[in-house]
Amino acid sequence: MAIEMDKKQRVALALEGFDPRYGKLPLACLHVAIVLSAFTITLQSMPGKDSLTVQILTGLEVILLAIFCAEFLLRLWSAESRLGYIFSFWGLIDLLSILPALLFLFPNSEVLRTLRLMRIFRLLKLLRMRRAILRLEHALSSNREEMILFGVLAAITLFLAAVGIYHFEKDAQPEIFGSIPQSAWWAIATLTTVGYGDVYPVTTGGRIFTAITLLIGLGIVAIPAGLITSGLLNAPEEDPDDLENDLINRDKPETTNGEN
Amino acid sequence: MAIEMDKKQRVALALEGFDPRYGKLPLACLHVAIVLSAFTITLQSMPGKDSLTVQILTGLEVILLAIFCAEFLLRLWSAESRLGYIFSFWGLIDLLSILPALLFLFPNSEVLRTLRLMRIFRLLKLLRMRRAILRLEHALSSNREEMILFGVLAAITLFLAAVGIYHFEKDAQPEIFGSIPQSAWWAIATLTTVGYGDVYPVTTGGRIFTAITLLIGLGIVAIPAGLITSGLLNAPEEDPDDLENDLINRDKPETTNGEN
Amino acid sequence: MAIEMDKKQRVALALEGFDPRYGKLPLACLHVAIVLSAFTITLQSMPGKDSLTVQILTGLEVILLAIFCAEFLLRLWSAESRLGYIFSFWGLIDLLSILPALLFLFPNSEVLRTLRLMRIFRLLKLLRMRRAILRLEHALSSNREEMILFGVLAAITLFLAAVGIYHFEKDAQPEIFGSIPQSAWWAIATLTTVGYGDVYPVTTGGRIFTAITLLIGLGIVAIPAGLITSGLLNAPEEDPDDLENDLINRDKPETTNGEN
Amino acid sequence: MAIEMDKKQRVALALEGFDPRYGKLPLACLHVAIVLSAFTITLQSMPGKDSLTVQILTGLEVILLAIFCAEFLLRLWSAESRLGYIFSFWGLIDLLSILPALLFLFPNSEVLRTLRLMRIFRLLKLLRMRRAILRLEHALSSNREEMILFGVLAAITLFLAAVGIYHFEKDAQPEIFGSIPQSAWWAIATLTTVGYGDVYPVTTGGRIFTAITLLIGLGIVAIPAGLITSGLLNAPEEDPDDLENDLINRDKPETTNGEN
């Protein structure tokens, strides 16, 4: 490929896994850092750690923070439009991924504890894997109208089930079916067939209502998840070279294509 | 469109979302009122409200009642055949939606408490969304014969499962498997895979019977819900303009089409 | 149709729902008797009946018994081959349906209590509905080889899951995972996603094993039920007139077809 | 078939179910031995055996061990490439199947108890049934890339669900949602819809999060199992004669085919 690239293009390509010399290596390093970050978050959630482990985890966190900050700055610098990057979906994810880590460096503050959980946004960066994200986008956009329609139908079904069971069970079990929001928890657990067993009808009327609701409602509530499944499975395959060409040719005038 | 419309046609079109000037706005207002009604029902079911909240909810209820009464009267007035509207499916839903609200205005009466729950019929009005209702109708009518056949098969499967588990478990757990109706509750919770955990077999025979019933019966009991799913997903799309034309041209003689 | 029928043919046709004068009426009466029988069985299983109810149920049982005996004798008399009928699937079902009822007439005997449950066989007669039985036969025969193969695969999966969880949990929960058969109960309840909650792993190893087993095994154990579903749904439709013609022409020599 | 076979070929054919004289008999005997081995493992896991049963089971185990050792040696001797056989998948399974049995002959040693469970590998030999194994191979290889992609997506979904519920429930239920690994157990039991009922959210935030996670996540976590199902069902059928010809012609030069 005889195209001369400036440094910005080189960095942009490297961050997408198309580095001319190292190929997917820089991208793979970022993915390893994300997985390491997930392990750090998991380990920090576990109680009973000794002080050495805490120190190691804090150190690892600082290193990961440096990596993600460097990635963010590189992406910002190499972006065609810097404001466009910051306010894009991935730009916000990248920014959110490093903000809580900055706060994490002051670990004694009480209010920061929940902010630390925001590091979970880093995991979403894993989804930047081109094939996964292509399919997720396809799943959510290809049948957006269907998703909304059947999401509304599922919500109505769940609400009607909640009101119905509330009517039948509110006197027999006032603690767990005492209001419609409480009954909605039963509707969710039942119509997804999870059935934890913390709430279930005990009256004859409630049980007959449950039986009818299940036989009819299962088919309706299952549709949104089914649409996501089929959207994910039926996404068209995109040629990965296309992205590489997009990145290389981005500064060229579009007229070169028009000449052909 | 150079067709002159009388006021009745104008109202009928507006209530279906085809108002010449305001478009979908009148229909959207009705939908907002229905969703507000759902919130009112939900909040009123929750215990521990102070008297101010109760007053606000009652006031909201009166306003919503006025809106639904107005809608009912407008639909009745603008209908081609008024008796036909009242005794149609949607006419009955509209009527049922306002009847309990009228009773609700006398909140101290004990017998009216369950009647208030009938306000849930208002939610069904949400289903009047043309696309949703087209699909529901299709789901229920396109394979009506199949639905009945597999509904009967599912009922037989559930009954046979209930009788079988009753035979195995009635001596070991007389409280929860003491009769066939009680065992039918187990059959429903098991064959829909909800599995609350309030009833389950403890004898070896009952467990082997459960295993066989599950491996065979799951496929049979899941069919009615599956038919609803496929009926909803495979409904043909209707052009929304068709309805508008239907409403505009409803008084014209059919022969105009015959001339072409 | 100018074919003269003898009485045997007339009875055989009537019992299949093709009576020349009354059409489906005789068959419908039999179906009503079967459903009544199901109600009788259900009511008799319920405790706390007063003596009047018991007497009514006993009387109803005697009447139903007479109907099913008459049906059996008529089918036997009108059958082309009587031995063939008795040893056919439906002949055995018909016989089993009346045998327990005969025993039921001596209600005080202890040993007869379980025999009374054999009346459940009558319900299988409901399946004689031609369309239902055609589909069930199709579901079980069309992919018999597949059914056996995937039934064996499901059994192996369940057994391996049971042995695995036994290994992980037998020390932590010796009462409920104390042997492989006990662990197999967990495997059934888990891999069908019923999840009653009476048995579940508590060790870390057992939980990781459960996660892996679920992600892989769900797909395998669900196949037999899925094959039954698809077999039931994809059964070809048979023209109901074919059966009528079969019954009318059964005594004619086959050579009439050969002449064409 | 006029092809002269040496003894090695004869043995190899017999072990695959193509013995010229006895057909599938030798293979069937091996399968019976495997099923017997499964019964032995099951019975030995059950507590409260008397000493006679223990002796019978030990004797049966010795016989089964001899059979599997003989099978291993025959397969080794008749293999085209002996090292190739030992380090093949099935060679390792055959070897692992007899190793724990050898150790089992010294039953008093404590460390050997878990090794005895390795006899479970014998069950995998059942999968050597050609049709089953063809389909399993197809299920795992035909869409390997899809499996990895959706396996990763399912893992990310489960992890995000675990972190989310940990955030909502860790203060309300510190014993069961006290760390992310504990919360991951909830995520597995919930998103596969097993729902044992040992862990479930009790806070309002946790329940709303569960509802959203279920409606979206069910569709993602179910895909790996669905891919296995479709891979198993859509495997192409191979002509069983092909294997027989492969075994018979394996020593012939390939040029005979080239001449045509």
Side-chain angles (χ1 to χ4, degrees):
Chain A
M1 202 180 291
I3 299 169
E4 281 190 18
M5 286 185 292
D6 60 9
K7 281 185 179 175
K8 278 191 186 180
Q9 260 183 333
R10 169 83 187 261
V11 166
L13 279 171
L15 287 169
E16 296 293 340
F18 301 112
D19 191 86
R21 189 181 302 175
Y22 301 108
K24 297 190 166 183
L25 195 65
L27 186 64
C29 289
L30 282 173
H31 283 170
V32 168
I34 297 168
V35 172
L36 264 180
S37 177
F39 273 104
T40 316
I41 294 169
T42 303
L43 286 172
Q44 279 177 336
S45 81
M46 296 172 79
K49 297 181 293 290
D50 55 23
S51 63
L52 180 65
T53 315
V54 172
Q55 283 182 355
I56 292 172
L57 288 174
T58 309
L60 191 58
E61 184 61 33
V62 173
I63 295 167
L64 290 169
L65 176 60
I67 292 173
F68 292 127
C69 285
E71 183 204 356
F72 177 72
L73 293 175
L74 280 174
R75 281 191 195 274
L76 187 65
W77 172 71
S78 70
E80 267 188 287
S81 153
R82 279 166 198 175
L83 270 176
Y85 165 68
I86 287 182
F87 290 105
S88 71
F89 179 70
W90 291 118
L92 285 170
I93 293 287
D94 288 339
L95 197 57
L96 285 168
S97 300
I98 56 173
L99 274 189
L102 285 168
L103 299 167
F104 160 80
L105 295 177
F106 312 92
N108 294 323
S109 156
E110 185 64 29
V111 76
L112 298 184
R113 273 184 58 209
T114 45
L115 283 171
R116 280 164 63 183
L117 267 172
M118 286 178 70
R119 283 176 297 161
I120 193 70
F121 280 108
R122 283 183 195 159
L123 288 169
L124 291 176
K125 294 168 78 156
L126 262 187
L127 294 178
R128 203 179 237 150
M129 294 183 303
R130 283 195 60 70
R131 292 191 55 232
I133 202 59
L134 262 178
R135 284 168 172 277
L136 277 175
E137 269 172 20
H138 182 266
L140 293 173
S141 69
S142 74
N143 36 25
R144 185 192 303 267
E145 264 188 275
E146 303 267 291
M147 289 285 287
I148 293 167
L149 176 67
F150 288 111
V152 170
L153 268 184
I156 293 175
T157 306
L158 288 168
F159 189 80
L160 291 176
V163 175
I165 204 73
Y166 166 70
H167 173 64
F168 283 111
E169 297 286 328
K170 68 171 186 284
D171 294 325
Q173 303 185 84
E175 284 94 31
I176 57 179
F177 288 101
S179 67
I180 290 175
Q182 280 182 293
S183 304
W185 171 240
W186 167 87
I188 279 283
T190 298
L191 283 169
T192 56
T193 80
V194 171
Y196 288 121
D198 53 342
V199 285
Y200 50 84
V202 297
T203 64
T204 303
R207 287 178 170 187
I208 293 169
F209 177 78
T210 304
I212 295 167
T213 304
L214 275 171
L215 290 179
I216 297 172
L218 284 185
I220 298 173
V221 175
I223 293 179
L227 286 175
I228 291 176
T229 306
S230 71
L232 284 169
L233 286 174
N234 299 327
E237 290 293 330
E238 196 204 4
D239 189 1
D241 291 341
D242 288 353
L243 175 69
E244 189 174 356
N245 291 332
D246 286 355
L247 286 169
I248 293 171
N249 300 326
R250 65 183 183 187
D251 297 324
K252 294 192 179 174
E254 284 294 315
T255 51
T256 50
N257 292 323
E259 285 173 18
N260 300 334
Chain B
M1 203 180 291
I3 299 169
E4 282 188 18
M5 285 186 293
D6 59 10
K7 281 184 179 175
K8 278 192 186 179
Q9 261 183 333
R10 170 84 188 261
V11 167
L13 280 170
L15 288 168
E16 296 293 340
F18 300 111
D19 191 85
R21 189 180 305 174
Y22 302 107
K24 296 192 167 182
L25 194 66
L27 186 65
C29 289
L30 283 175
H31 283 170
V32 168
I34 297 168
V35 172
L36 264 179
S37 178
F39 273 104
T40 316
I41 294 169
T42 303
L43 286 172
Q44 279 178 336
S45 80
M46 295 173 78
K49 298 181 292 289
D50 54 24
S51 63
L52 179 67
T53 314
V54 172
Q55 281 181 356
I56 292 172
L57 289 174
T58 309
L60 191 58
E61 184 61 31
V62 173
I63 295 166
L64 290 170
L65 176 60
I67 292 172
F68 292 126
C69 284
E71 184 204 357
F72 178 73
L73 293 174
L74 281 174
R75 281 192 196 275
L76 187 65
W77 172 70
S78 69
E80 267 188 288
S81 153
R82 281 165 196 175
L83 271 176
Y85 166 67
I86 288 182
F87 291 105
S88 72
F89 178 69
W90 291 116
L92 286 170
I93 293 287
D94 288 340
L95 197 58
L96 285 167
S97 301
I98 55 173
L99 275 188
L102 284 168
L103 299 167
F104 159 79
L105 295 177
F106 312 93
N108 293 323
S109 156
E110 185 64 29
V111 76
L112 297 184
R113 275 185 56 208
T114 46
L115 284 171
R116 281 164 59 182
L117 266 171
M118 286 178 70
R119 284 176 296 161
I120 192 70
F121 280 108
R122 285 184 196 158
L123 288 170
L124 291 177
K125 293 167 79 158
L126 262 187
L127 294 179
R128 203 180 236 147
M129 294 183 302
R130 284 195 61 69
R131 292 189 58 232
I133 201 60
L134 263 178
R135 284 167 172 278
L136 276 176
E137 269 171 21
H138 183 267
L140 294 173
S141 69
S142 74
N143 36 26
R144 186 191 302 269
E145 266 189 272
E146 303 266 292
M147 291 284 287
I148 293 168
L149 176 66
F150 287 112
V152 170
L153 267 183
I156 293 176
T157 306
L158 288 168
F159 189 80
L160 292 176
V163 175
I165 204 74
Y166 167 69
H167 172 64
F168 283 111
E169 297 286 328
K170 70 171 184 284
D171 294 326
Q173 302 187 84
E175 284 93 30
I176 57 177
F177 289 102
S179 67
I180 289 175
Q182 281 183 291
S183 304
W185 172 241
W186 167 87
I188 279 282
T190 299
L191 283 170
T192 56
T193 79
V194 171
Y196 288 120
D198 54 341
V199 285
Y200 50 82
V202 297
T203 64
T204 303
R207 289 177 168 188
I208 292 169
F209 177 79
T210 303
I212 295 167
T213 303
L214 275 171
L215 290 179
I216 297 172
L218 283 185
I220 298 173
V221 174
I223 292 179
L227 286 175
I228 291 175
T229 306
S230 71
L232 284 170
L233 286 174
N234 299 328
E237 290 293 329
E238 198 204 2
D239 188 1
D241 292 340
D242 288 353
L243 174 69
E244 190 174 355
N245 291 332
D246 286 355
L247 286 170
I248 293 170
N249 299 324
R250 65 183 183 187
D251 296 324
K252 294 192 181 174
E254 286 292 315
T255 50
T256 51
N257 291 323
E259 285 173 17
N260 301 335
Chain C
M1 205 180 286
I3 299 169
E4 283 189 19
M5 287 186 291
D6 59 9
K7 282 184 179 174
K8 280 191 186 179
Q9 262 182 333
R10 170 83 187 263
V11 167
L13 280 171
L15 288 168
E16 296 292 342
F18 300 111
D19 190 84
R21 190 181 304 174
Y22 301 107
K24 295 191 166 182
L25 194 65
L27 186 64
C29 289
L30 282 174
H31 283 169
V32 168
I34 296 168
V35 172
L36 265 180
S37 178
F39 273 102
T40 316
I41 294 170
T42 303
L43 286 173
Q44 280 178 335
S45 80
M46 295 172 78
K49 298 180 293 289
D50 56 24
S51 63
L52 180 66
T53 315
V54 172
Q55 281 181 357
I56 291 173
L57 288 174
T58 310
L60 191 59
E61 184 61 32
V62 173
I63 295 168
L64 291 169
L65 175 61
I67 292 172
F68 292 127
C69 284
E71 184 205 356
F72 178 72
L73 293 174
L74 280 173
R75 282 192 194 274
L76 187 64
W77 172 71
S78 70
E80 268 189 287
S81 152
R82 281 166 196 174
L83 271 175
Y85 166 67
I86 288 182
F87 291 106
S88 73
F89 178 70
W90 291 116
L92 286 170
I93 293 287
D94 289 339
L95 197 58
L96 286 167
S97 301
I98 55 173
L99 275 189
L102 284 168
L103 299 167
F104 159 79
L105 295 177
F106 311 92
N108 293 323
S109 155
E110 185 63 30
V111 75
L112 298 185
R113 275 185 54 209
T114 46
L115 283 171
R116 281 164 60 182
L117 266 172
M118 286 178 70
R119 283 177 295 161
I120 194 69
F121 280 108
R122 285 183 196 158
L123 289 168
L124 291 177
K125 293 167 78 158
L126 262 186
L127 295 178
R128 203 181 237 146
M129 295 182 304
R130 284 195 61 71
R131 292 190 56 232
I133 201 60
L134 262 177
R135 283 168 173 277
L136 277 175
E137 269 172 21
H138 183 266
L140 294 173
S141 70
S142 75
N143 37 24
R144 186 192 304 268
E145 264 189 274
E146 303 266 291
M147 290 285 287
I148 293 169
L149 175 66
F150 287 112
V152 170
L153 267 182
I156 293 176
T157 306
L158 288 168
F159 189 81
L160 291 176
V163 175
I165 204 74
Y166 166 70
H167 172 63
F168 283 110
E169 297 286 326
K170 69 171 185 285
D171 294 325
Q173 303 187 83
E175 283 94 30
I176 58 177
F177 288 102
S179 66
I180 289 174
Q182 281 182 291
S183 304
W185 172 240
W186 167 87
I188 279 283
T190 298
L191 283 169
T192 57
T193 78
V194 171
Y196 288 120
D198 53 340
V199 286
Y200 51 82
V202 296
T203 63
T204 302
R207 288 179 168 186
I208 293 169
F209 177 79
T210 303
I212 295 166
T213 304
L214 275 171
L215 290 179
I216 298 171
L218 283 186
I220 299 173
V221 174
I223 292 180
L227 287 175
I228 291 176
T229 305
S230 71
L232 284 169
L233 285 174
N234 300 327
E237 290 293 328
E238 196 204 4
D239 188 0
D241 292 340
D242 288 352
L243 175 69
E244 190 174 354
N245 291 332
D246 286 355
L247 286 169
I248 293 172
N249 300 325
R250 65 184 185 189
D251 298 322
K252 293 192 179 175
E254 284 292 315
T255 50
T256 52
N257 292 323
E259 284 172 16
N260 302 334
Chain D
M1 204 180 291
I3 299 168
E4 281 190 18
M5 286 185 293
D6 60 9
K7 282 185 179 175
K8 279 191 187 180
Q9 261 183 334
R10 170 83 187 260
V11 166
L13 280 171
L15 287 169
E16 296 293 341
F18 300 112
D19 191 85
R21 189 181 302 175
Y22 302 106
K24 296 190 165 182
L25 194 64
L27 187 65
C29 287
L30 282 173
H31 283 169
V32 169
I34 297 168
V35 173
L36 264 180
S37 178
F39 273 103
T40 314
I41 294 168
T42 304
L43 286 173
Q44 279 178 336
S45 81
M46 296 172 78
K49 297 180 294 291
D50 56 22
S51 64
L52 180 65
T53 314
V54 171
Q55 282 182 357
I56 291 173
L57 287 175
T58 310
L60 191 59
E61 183 62 32
V62 173
I63 295 167
L64 290 169
L65 175 60
I67 292 172
F68 293 127
C69 284
E71 184 205 354
F72 177 72
L73 293 174
L74 280 174
R75 282 192 195 272
L76 187 65
W77 172 70
S78 71
E80 269 188 285
S81 153
R82 279 165 198 175
L83 270 176
Y85 166 67
I86 287 182
F87 291 106
S88 73
F89 178 69
W90 291 117
L92 285 170
I93 292 288
D94 289 339
L95 197 58
L96 285 167
S97 301
I98 56 174
L99 274 188
L102 285 168
L103 300 167
F104 159 79
L105 295 176
F106 312 91
N108 294 324
S109 156
E110 185 64 29
V111 76
L112 298 185
R113 275 184 56 207
T114 46
L115 283 171
R116 279 164 61 182
L117 267 172
M118 286 178 69
R119 282 176 299 161
I120 195 69
F121 280 109
R122 283 181 196 160
L123 289 170
L124 291 177
K125 293 167 79 158
L126 262 186
L127 295 178
R128 202 180 239 147
M129 295 183 303
R130 284 195 60 71
R131 292 189 56 231
I133 201 60
L134 263 177
R135 282 167 173 279
L136 277 175
E137 270 171 18
H138 182 266
L140 294 172
S141 68
S142 74
N143 37 23
R144 186 191 303 268
E145 264 188 275
E146 302 268 290
M147 289 286 287
I148 293 167
L149 175 67
F150 288 112
V152 170
L153 267 183
I156 293 175
T157 306
L158 288 168
F159 189 80
L160 291 176
V163 175
I165 204 73
Y166 166 71
H167 172 63
F168 283 111
E169 297 286 326
K170 68 172 186 285
D171 294 325
Q173 304 185 83
E175 283 94 30
I176 58 178
F177 289 103
S179 67
I180 289 176
Q182 281 183 291
S183 304
W185 172 240
W186 167 87
I188 279 281
T190 298
L191 283 170
T192 57
T193 80
V194 170
Y196 288 121
D198 53 341
V199 285
Y200 51 84
V202 296
T203 64
T204 303
R207 288 179 169 187
I208 292 170
F209 177 79
T210 304
I212 295 166
T213 305
L214 275 171
L215 290 179
I216 297 171
L218 283 186
I220 298 173
V221 174
I223 293 179
L227 287 175
I228 292 175
T229 306
S230 71
L232 283 169
L233 286 174
N234 299 327
E237 290 293 327
E238 195 203 7
D239 188 1
D241 291 340
D242 289 353
L243 174 69
E244 190 175 356
N245 291 332
D246 286 355
L247 287 170
I248 293 172
N249 300 326
R250 65 185 185 187
D251 298 323
K252 293 189 180 176
E254 283 293 315
T255 51
T256 50
N257 292 323
E259 285 172 17
N260 301 333

Short mmCIF file of all heavy atoms in Angstrom, two decimals, chain C residues 45-62:
data_model
loop_
_atom_site.label_atom_id
_atom_site.label_comp_id
_atom_site.label_asym_id
_atom_site.label_seq_id
_atom_site.Cartn_x
_atom_site.Cartn_y
_atom_site.Cartn_z
N SER C 45 -61.30 -36.29 43.95
CA SER C 45 -59.99 -36.16 44.60
C SER C 45 -60.03 -35.12 45.71
O SER C 45 -59.12 -35.07 46.54
CB SER C 45 -58.92 -35.76 43.57
OG SER C 45 -58.99 -34.36 43.31
N MET C 46 -61.07 -34.27 45.73
CA MET C 46 -61.08 -33.18 46.70
C MET C 46 -61.63 -33.65 48.04
O MET C 46 -62.66 -34.34 48.08
CB MET C 46 -61.90 -32.02 46.16
CG MET C 46 -61.26 -31.42 44.91
SD MET C 46 -62.29 -30.20 44.10
CE MET C 46 -62.01 -28.82 45.17
N PRO C 47 -60.96 -33.28 49.13
CA PRO C 47 -61.42 -33.74 50.45
C PRO C 47 -62.62 -32.92 50.93
O PRO C 47 -62.95 -31.90 50.34
CB PRO C 47 -60.19 -33.50 51.33
CG PRO C 47 -59.49 -32.35 50.67
CD PRO C 47 -59.76 -32.45 49.20
N GLY C 48 -63.26 -33.39 51.99
CA GLY C 48 -64.32 -32.64 52.63
C GLY C 48 -65.62 -32.60 51.87
O GLY C 48 -66.34 -31.60 51.89
N LYS C 49 -65.92 -33.67 51.14
CA LYS C 49 -67.21 -33.72 50.46
C LYS C 49 -68.26 -34.24 51.44
O LYS C 49 -67.99 -35.15 52.24
CB LYS C 49 -67.14 -34.67 49.26
CG LYS C 49 -66.15 -34.26 48.18
CD LYS C 49 -66.14 -35.25 47.05
CE LYS C 49 -65.60 -36.59 47.46
NZ LYS C 49 -64.16 -36.59 47.71
N ASP C 50 -69.49 -33.72 51.33
CA ASP C 50 -70.55 -34.29 52.16
C ASP C 50 -71.10 -35.53 51.45
O ASP C 50 -70.80 -35.83 50.30
CB ASP C 50 -71.65 -33.26 52.43
CG ASP C 50 -72.21 -32.67 51.16
OD1 ASP C 50 -72.11 -33.32 50.11
OD2 ASP C 50 -72.74 -31.56 51.20
N SER C 51 -71.94 -36.30 52.17
CA SER C 51 -72.34 -37.61 51.65
C SER C 51 -73.21 -37.46 50.41
O SER C 51 -73.19 -38.31 49.52
CB SER C 51 -73.08 -38.39 52.74
OG SER C 51 -74.26 -37.70 53.08
N LEU C 52 -73.96 -36.37 50.30
CA LEU C 52 -74.80 -36.18 49.12
C LEU C 52 -73.94 -36.05 47.87
O LEU C 52 -74.19 -36.73 46.85
CB LEU C 52 -75.66 -34.91 49.28
CG LEU C 52 -76.58 -34.62 48.10
CD1 LEU C 52 -77.65 -35.69 47.97
CD2 LEU C 52 -77.22 -33.24 48.22
N THR C 53 -72.90 -35.22 47.94
CA THR C 53 -72.00 -35.06 46.79
C THR C 53 -71.41 -36.40 46.39
O THR C 53 -71.31 -36.74 45.21
CB THR C 53 -70.87 -34.07 47.15
OG1 THR C 53 -71.43 -32.95 47.80
CG2 THR C 53 -70.12 -33.64 45.92
N VAL C 54 -70.99 -37.19 47.41
CA VAL C 54 -70.40 -38.49 47.11
C VAL C 54 -71.40 -39.35 46.35
O VAL C 54 -71.07 -40.01 45.36
CB VAL C 54 -69.95 -39.18 48.42
CG1 VAL C 54 -69.53 -40.61 48.15
CG2 VAL C 54 -68.82 -38.39 49.06
N GLN C 55 -72.66 -39.32 46.80
CA GLN C 55 -73.67 -40.15 46.13
C GLN C 55 -73.90 -39.68 44.69
O GLN C 55 -74.00 -40.49 43.76
CB GLN C 55 -74.98 -40.09 46.92
CG GLN C 55 -74.95 -41.00 48.14
CD GLN C 55 -76.27 -40.95 48.90
OE1 GLN C 55 -77.17 -40.20 48.55
NE2 GLN C 55 -76.38 -41.77 49.93
N ILE C 56 -73.98 -38.35 44.51
CA ILE C 56 -74.18 -37.85 43.14
C ILE C 56 -73.03 -38.27 42.25
O ILE C 56 -73.21 -38.74 41.12
CB ILE C 56 -74.32 -36.31 43.17
CG1 ILE C 56 -75.62 -35.92 43.84
CG2 ILE C 56 -74.26 -35.73 41.75
CD1 ILE C 56 -75.77 -34.42 44.07
N LEU C 57 -71.79 -38.12 42.76
CA LEU C 57 -70.62 -38.48 41.96
C LEU C 57 -70.63 -39.96 41.62
O LEU C 57 -70.30 -40.37 40.50
CB LEU C 57 -69.34 -38.11 42.71
CG LEU C 57 -69.04 -36.61 42.81
CD1 LEU C 57 -67.83 -36.37 43.68
CD2 LEU C 57 -68.81 -36.03 41.43
N THR C 58 -71.02 -40.80 42.62
CA THR C 58 -71.08 -42.24 42.35
C THR C 58 -72.11 -42.54 41.27
O THR C 58 -71.86 -43.33 40.35
CB THR C 58 -71.41 -43.01 43.65
OG1 THR C 58 -70.53 -42.55 44.68
CG2 THR C 58 -71.25 -44.50 43.45
N GLY C 59 -73.27 -41.87 41.38
CA GLY C 59 -74.29 -42.09 40.36
C GLY C 59 -73.81 -41.68 38.98
O GLY C 59 -73.97 -42.43 37.99
N LEU C 60 -73.19 -40.50 38.91
CA LEU C 60 -72.65 -40.03 37.63
C LEU C 60 -71.65 -41.02 37.08
O LEU C 60 -71.63 -41.33 35.88
CB LEU C 60 -72.00 -38.66 37.85
CG LEU C 60 -71.60 -37.88 36.61
CD1 LEU C 60 -72.81 -37.61 35.74
CD2 LEU C 60 -70.95 -36.57 37.00
N GLU C 61 -70.81 -41.54 37.97
CA GLU C 61 -69.79 -42.50 37.56
C GLU C 61 -70.44 -43.74 36.94
O GLU C 61 -69.97 -44.28 35.93
CB GLU C 61 -68.94 -42.89 38.78
CG GLU C 61 -67.80 -43.79 38.47
CD GLU C 61 -66.80 -43.19 37.52
OE1 GLU C 61 -66.64 -41.96 37.55
OE2 GLU C 61 -66.23 -43.93 36.71
N VAL C 62 -71.56 -44.20 37.53
CA VAL C 62 -72.24 -45.39 37.00
C VAL C 62 -72.76 -45.10 35.59
O VAL C 62 -72.62 -45.92 34.67
CB VAL C 62 -73.38 -45.81 37.95
CG1 VAL C 62 -74.20 -46.94 37.33
CG2 VAL C 62 -72.81 -46.24 39.28
#
